[in-house]
RNA sequence: GCCGAAGUAGCUCAGCUGGUAGAGCAGCUGAUUUGUAAUCAGCAGGUCGGGGGUUCGAGCCCCUUCUUCGGCUCCA
């Protein structure tokens, strides 16, 4: 007998070799029908894998993230079976589960798969699913594996096989399809009740753009049709929050082919949001001891040769502009840091001067590949709320922590609670991509890790995500469709100060090298606004929204009173407008609701007589009548609450 | 840049096997004077992304180019 510890701490005895499915059945038949896989001693395994030793044990169903993964991975195999049915000779690379669904990278040879083929593939998948075919696991030797896939003629699987250790190789078979796979899989195909192929894309083999491009098919599946319907509905809802759609509807920004792709044009209302964010940040930075500076939009090529940007990005960025007579080369500014280094050098520094913190809303231009552009989140010209802190080595941690505080302050004021802090380190396998000594990198990485820990941030480490001159602490948030974006970033840099030969005089009267911290709490204003739009679904916080109040006269007899109300509110610094159109009140309310204006003030005979306003709040409705002063006070209080 | 999809009025979209370009909203003009999510009528609005081609005839078919969308790769 073996002891099985259930999630609630209960220990039960089962015969040796019992399976997760046996345990599930011993608890309830209903549960057993929903079991997809199980976690045994922390490892996710097939539900019908015999358990030989004492173990902690959790059953996994579609309600568990890992249960979903099992389901989706098995669905990828099911799709592969359907593909093989329609396109014999199709070759398979990998088919992993994702956060939402799965994909499989395949090579269809000369056949060009299109989304028109999805329907018949989905139908075949469901037909195969209904056969309730079990997923059968089989351990094989490497030689047998090589033999099998050589006969099948699948060079991609052979490539995978080459990198596997003998004795640790398994095949999974369901119906007529056998795949090299470590598993685990769901018990049988019948658990898959609803499937949807969602997208088709090219994907380079092994993610290398020099390699052949495979066809990647994305899909998702569910244990009930209803779950799929709900998922599709959720996707529809998410699309409504898309900043590109809202940006158009709320007249925030636009693009023009004539101006050029990836070059956003900020409309008046979008500009109002953006400038208010800027003011907010300027104020916070002054309080934190930053010194605003301004630098030009172009810089001499030599500047970027010194910084290393030229070597790293010179060929892949906008090409230099030349002076007509001297032929001197200037680049559009892709970064503010080299300019700020030169500002630092403008005067000799003493250890007593440090830290100095230069801040600039610097607009930078970067060539992004055409296929990369995406609304406001990925553009070719954008403005960073950039600053560079130059400090003594003993000040690095304190300064870094203060910057983290600033980022968190910003996130709080804008209601961003769902973020993760990514510690982006150097790729240890590929150090040639970076500049600077191992020692400097170690110091910088250590400073970031220590500061993040000190601030109690929820972090995870990504290797290879560092900037070429230093490691980063990146604050990542998700957009409406679940795509991750980097907003705030803080970077420790020992390298640029050396390249620019920055110095300060220490208390020992010797020259020392300062450490540089790059930081941008918003990151790029463009991207920040985009994510903010999706985050609040276009309903900006009251302090930030371009138009706070619409005064809606019942008929044009009350336009003058409405204008008086508006004027009074404007005197209180409240952004109010009058809807003077010759429309019925219902129409004015509808239009104002659609514009997502936070407050509507309906004014007619009663209000004019009482010197009052009838308050209606966006998406909430009638809030009753009050005096103009009382309403102004209400607004002030709500704003104070948001910025507290 | 690569793979796949798409581009029709300011916006959202319809337009059959190739046969005279449509609707709603927005806009303009007029009527209406309105009490909490659409008052009515009229008018105007288009090189069907651009360029080539096939055809008696192209929004529709073919080629090319630009842009956008979904991914890949990249992201100082």
């Amino acid at each position: 007998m073996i002891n099985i510890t259930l999630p609630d701490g209960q220990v039960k005895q089962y015969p040796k070799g019992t399976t997760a499915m046996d345990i599930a059945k011993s608890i309830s038949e209903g549960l057993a029908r929903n079991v997809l896989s199980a976690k045994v001693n922390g490892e996710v395994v097939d539900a019908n894998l015999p358990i030989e030793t004492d173990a902690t044990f959790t059953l996994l169903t579609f309600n568990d993230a890992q249960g979903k993964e099992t389901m989706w991975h098995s669905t990828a195999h099911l799709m592969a079976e359907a593909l093989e049915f329609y396109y014999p000779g199709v070759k398979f690379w990998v088919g992993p589960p994702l956060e939402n669904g799965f994909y499989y990278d395949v090579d269809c040879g000369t056949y060009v798969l299109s989304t028109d083929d999805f329907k018949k593939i989905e139908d075949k998948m469901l037909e195969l699913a209904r056969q309730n075919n079990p997923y059968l696991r089989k351990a094989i030797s490497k030689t047998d594996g090589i033999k099998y896939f050589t006969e099948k003629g699948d060079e991609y699987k052979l490539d995978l096989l080459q990198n596997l250790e003998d004795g640790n190789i398994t095949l999974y078979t369901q119906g007529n399809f056998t795949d090299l796979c470590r598993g685990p899989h769901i018990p049988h195909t019948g658990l898959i009740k609803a499937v949807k192929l969602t997208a088709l894309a090219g994907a380079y083999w092994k993610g290398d753009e020099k390699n052949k491009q495979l066809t990647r098919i994305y899909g998702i599946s569910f244990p009930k049709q209803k779950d799929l319907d709900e998922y599709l509905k959720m996707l529809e809802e998410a699309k409504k929050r898309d900043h590109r759609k809202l940006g158009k509807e709320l007249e925030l920004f636009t693009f023009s082919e004539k101006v050029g792709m990836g070059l956003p044009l900020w409309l008046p209302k979008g500009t109002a949001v953006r400038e208010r964010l800027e003011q907010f940040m300027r104020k916070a930075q002054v309080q934190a001891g930053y010194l605003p500076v301004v630098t030009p939009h172009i810089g001499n090529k030599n500047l970027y040769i010194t910084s290393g940007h030229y070597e790293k990005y010179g060929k892949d960025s906008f090409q230099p502009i030349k002076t007509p007579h001297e032929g001197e080369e200037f680049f559009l500014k892709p970064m503010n840091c080299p300019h700020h280094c030169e500002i630092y050098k403008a005067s000799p520094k003493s250890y007593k001067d440090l830290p100095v913190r230069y801040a600039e809303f610097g607009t930078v231009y970067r060539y992004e590949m055409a296929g990369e552009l995406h609304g406001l989140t990925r553009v070719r010209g954008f403005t960073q709320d950039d600053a560079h802190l130059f400090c003594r080595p003993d000040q690095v941690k304190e300064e870094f922590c203060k910057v983290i505080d600033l980022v968190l302050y910003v996130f709080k004021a804008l209601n961003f609670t769902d973020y993760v802090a990514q510690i982006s380190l150097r790729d240890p396998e590929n150090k040639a991509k970076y500049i600077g000594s191992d020692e400097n990198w170690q110091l910088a990485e250590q400073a970031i890790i220590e500061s993040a820990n000190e601030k109690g941030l929820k972090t995870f480490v990504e290797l290879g995500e560092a900037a070429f001159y230093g490691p980063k602490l990146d604050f990542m948030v998700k957009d409406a469709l679940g795509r991750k974006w980097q907003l705030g970033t803080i970077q420790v840099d020992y390298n640029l100060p050396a390249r620019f030969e920055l110095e300060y005089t220490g208390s020992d009267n010797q020259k020392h090298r300062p450490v540089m911290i790059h930081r941008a709490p918003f990151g790029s204003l463009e991207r920040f606004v985009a994510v903010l739009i999706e985050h609040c679904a276009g309903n900006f916080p009251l302090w930030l929204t371009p138009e706070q109040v619409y005064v809606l006269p019942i008929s044009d007899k009350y336009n003058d009173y409405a204008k008086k109300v508006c004027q009074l509110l404007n005197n209180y610094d409240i952004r109010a407008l009058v809807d003077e159109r010759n429309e019925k009140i219902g129409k004015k309310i509808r239009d104002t609701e659609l514009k997502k204006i936070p407050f509507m003030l309906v004014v007619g005979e009663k209000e004019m007589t009482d010197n009052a306003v009838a308050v209606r709040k966006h998406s909430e409705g009638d809030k009753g009548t009050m005096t103009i002063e009382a309403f102004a006070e209400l607004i002030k209080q709500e704003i104070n609450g948001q910025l507290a």
Side-chain angles (χ1 to χ4, degrees):
Chain A
M1 298 296 269
I2 51 171
N3 293 314
I4 297 293
T5 309
L6 299 174
D8 61 1
Q10 209 186 143
V11 181
K12 283 192 172 179
Q13 291 212 320
Y14 287 94
K16 203 171 174 205
T18 201
T19 68
M21 191 53 84
D22 296 334
I23 297 174
K25 279 180 183 153
S26 78
I27 298 170
S28 98
E29 279 292 331
L31 181 61
R33 274 197 298 276
N34 291 320
V35 167
L36 300 174
S37 55
K39 193 152 44 163
V40 177
N41 285 330
E43 196 190 342
V44 184
V45 299
D46 292 341
N48 49 29
L49 195 77
I51 304 169
E52 305 292 352
T53 59
D54 289 356
T56 58
F57 177 86
T58 313
L59 285 169
L60 297 173
T61 69
F62 200 72
N63 293 324
D64 306 290
Q66 286 166 318
K68 285 190 172 83
E69 282 183 15
T70 314
M71 164 78 115
W72 289 332
H73 185 195
S74 297
T75 311
H77 281 224
L78 184 67
M79 180 174 79
E81 187 180 358
L83 288 171
E84 208 162 56
F85 175 84
Y86 283 117
Y87 316 106
V90 59
K91 293 168 194 171
F92 299 97
W93 171 234
V94 289
L98 303 166
E99 227 170 289
N100 275 304
F102 62 90
Y103 70 78
Y104 216 127
D105 280 348
V106 304
D107 180 352
C108 301
T110 52
Y111 183 75
V112 179
L113 205 65
S114 102
T115 45
D116 298 337
D117 300 315
F118 280 5
K119 183 75 176 71
K120 69 174 185 187
I121 298 169
E122 287 166 4
D123 290 346
K124 176 56 75 178
M125 286 169 73
L126 288 173
E127 182 193 322
L128 294 166
R130 279 193 292 270
Q131 294 174 2
N132 294 334
N133 293 323
Y135 285 83
L136 299 170
R137 183 175 191 271
K138 187 180 171 196
I140 53 158
S141 69
K142 193 162 178 171
T143 336
D144 286 348
I146 291 172
K147 187 161 165 254
Y148 177 82
F149 286 104
T150 306
E151 276 168 18
K152 197 178 172 189
D154 194 331
E155 66 262 29
Y156 302 104
K157 290 295 174 190
L158 281 169
D159 185 274
L160 278 180
L161 211 43
Q162 298 303 336
N163 299 311
L164 293 180
E165 263 177 56
D166 200 3
N168 201 10
I169 296 170
T170 51
L171 296 181
Y172 274 84
T173 303
Q174 96 277 1
N176 290 317
F177 179 73
T178 296
D179 203 353
L180 174 69
C181 182
R182 124 186 103 217
H185 281 283
I186 59 177
H188 63 89
T189 58
L191 293 160
I192 303 167
K193 301 283 194 203
V195 299
K196 178 86 187 161
L197 302 189
T198 49
L200 195 58
Y204 300 107
W205 184 44
K206 294 186 178 179
D208 188 334
E209 74 186 305
K210 286 180 220 69
N211 283 341
K212 176 169 182 178
Q213 197 157 44
L214 305 176
T215 304
R216 177 169 297 179
I217 309 168
Y218 287 86
I220 193 162
S221 65
F222 295 92
K224 289 186 208 137
Q225 179 62 36
K226 202 174 121 234
D227 294 338
L228 173 60
D229 295 341
E230 272 168 23
Y231 173 76
L232 294 175
K233 206 167 151 195
M234 193 270 293
L235 275 188
E236 287 298 309
E237 287 303 312
K239 273 187 197 156
K240 288 184 193 160
R241 299 172 85 100
D242 192 314
H243 78 277
R244 290 165 298 188
K245 181 176 156 67
L246 286 170
K248 199 181 278 182
E249 285 170 5
L250 302 178
E251 300 173 308
L252 300 172
F253 58 88
T254 190
F255 289 88
S256 151
E257 285 187 27
K258 263 206 179 105
V259 173
M261 59 162 110
L263 299 169
L265 302 174
W266 289 80
L267 302 174
K269 286 179 195 175
T271 307
V273 172
R274 176 191 160 124
E275 290 201 332
R276 210 151 270 119
L277 283 170
E278 266 189 48
Q279 284 163 19
F280 169 82
M281 183 60 71
R282 282 182 200 280
K283 196 173 152 198
Q285 286 180 165
V286 168
Q287 281 169 358
Y290 287 76
L291 306 168
V293 296
V294 174
T295 66
H297 285 227
I298 61 172
N300 194 291
K301 179 176 171 179
N302 292 322
L303 182 67
Y304 304 110
I305 290 175
T306 301
S307 71
H309 288 95
Y310 179 76
E311 193 194 344
K312 183 85 182 154
Y313 296 104
K315 303 151 283 309
D316 301 317
S317 56
F318 286 121
Q319 289 308 290
I321 42 182
K322 287 187 187 170
T323 56
H325 298 111
E326 305 83 349
E328 261 188 304
E329 294 184 308
F330 290 83
F331 276 93
L332 283 166
K333 171 166 79 176
M335 282 294 281
N336 302 300
C337 34
H339 293 73
H340 290 183
C341 285
E342 289 301 300
I343 288 180
Y344 179 93
K345 284 185 89 168
S347 66
K349 298 287 187 291
S350 145
Y351 71 98
K352 295 175 195 167
D353 297 325
L354 303 187
V356 292
R357 312 176 185 93
Y358 298 133
E360 175 177 16
F361 285 85
T363 304
V364 296
Y365 299 90
R366 298 175 184 177
Y367 172 78
E368 304 284 2
M369 288 192 291
E372 268 315 319
L373 302 172
H374 182 94
L376 281 187
T377 52
R378 195 78 189 270
V379 288
R380 284 178 170 176
F382 58 96
T383 302
Q384 297 175 310
D385 59 330
D386 208 1
H388 296 92
L389 288 65
F390 300 87
C391 60
R392 304 189 305 260
D394 63 291
Q395 293 171 319
V396 171
K397 197 147 106 192
E398 185 189 343
E399 285 304 308
F400 200 96
C401 286
K402 282 203 267 186
V403 175
I404 293 177
D405 287 338
L406 184 62
V407 173
L408 296 183
Y409 167 69
V410 169
F411 279 22
K412 184 163 171 288
L414 291 154
N415 257 322
F416 280 118
T417 48
D418 192 16
Y419 60 85
V420 283
Q422 173 179 309
I423 299 178
S424 303
L425 304 180
R426 196 163 56 147
D427 179 359
E429 309 278 296
N430 196 355
K431 289 186 182 172
K433 276 166 64 182
Y434 310 91
I435 59 171
S437 67
D438 281 354
E439 191 200 346
N440 281 349
W441 273 87
Q442 209 194 329
L443 283 169
E445 295 187 349
Q446 196 184 330
I448 289 184
I449 292 167
E450 281 176 17
S451 304
N453 287 342
E454 198 157 300
K455 284 285 151 194
L457 291 177
K458 194 171 67 181
T459 59
F460 69 101
V461 173
E462 282 290 331
L463 296 177
E465 291 296 310
F468 74 90
Y469 50 74
K472 309 193 286 179
L473 182 67
D474 293 327
F475 291 81
M476 312 295 289
V477 297
K478 282 184 192 172
D479 71 9
L481 293 166
R483 288 176 289 220
K484 282 191 196 131
W485 296 100
Q486 172 202 311
L487 291 184
T489 178
I490 319 174
Q491 308 164 9
V492 178
D493 181 1
Y494 283 80
N495 292 317
L496 287 190
R499 295 181 76 107
F500 278 91
E501 300 176 311
L502 305 184
E503 297 179 328
Y504 65 90
T505 308
S507 55
D508 56 2
N509 200 28
Q510 300 294 305
K511 298 293 183 195
H512 296 273
R513 185 127 290 158
V515 182
M516 203 173 162
I517 296 175
H518 308 239
R519 46 106 280 179
F522 291 143
S524 123
L525 262 305
E526 282 73 7
R527 178 177 293 176
F528 192 86
V529 169
V531 175
L532 179 62
I533 290 168
E534 308 204 350
H535 180 67
C536 66
N539 300 301
F540 292 108
L542 190 58
W543 69 272
L544 189 60
T545 200
E547 296 165 334
Q548 296 166 319
V549 179
Y550 269 29
V551 187
L552 311 178
I554 295 285
S555 83
D556 57 15
K557 279 193 284 196
Y558 312 106
N559 279 1
D560 285 344
Y561 177 64
K563 279 191 255 189
K564 190 186 127 194
V565 171
C566 184
Q567 186 61 55
L568 230 71
L569 293 174
N570 291 156
N571 291 345
Y572 281 106
D573 273 336
I574 293 167
R575 301 186 286 280
L577 292 170
V578 181
D579 185 350
E580 289 186 73
R581 293 176 306 160
N582 181 3
E583 293 288 353
K584 292 172 79 166
I585 192 67
K587 169 73 166 166
K588 290 184 186 180
I589 286 171
R590 179 183 155 79
D591 289 350
T592 313
E593 287 282 354
L594 291 175
K595 284 177 163 176
K596 300 179 189 284
I597 307 298
F599 286 97
M600 283 153 270
L601 301 180
V602 177
V603 296
E605 189 64 36
K606 284 198 297 260
E607 289 74 18
M608 191 164 71
T609 314
D610 300 346
N611 217 29
V613 291
V615 180
R616 184 190 162 102
K617 199 165 182 182
H618 170 64
S619 74
E620 288 180 26
D622 202 344
K623 292 284 164 188
T625 303
M626 61 184 80
T627 63
I628 304 167
E629 287 73 20
F631 174 72
E633 191 51 37
L634 185 85
I635 296 277
K636 288 285 163 206
Q637 274 180 16
E638 186 167 333
I639 289 175
N640 286 339
Q642 286 174 351
L643 289 177

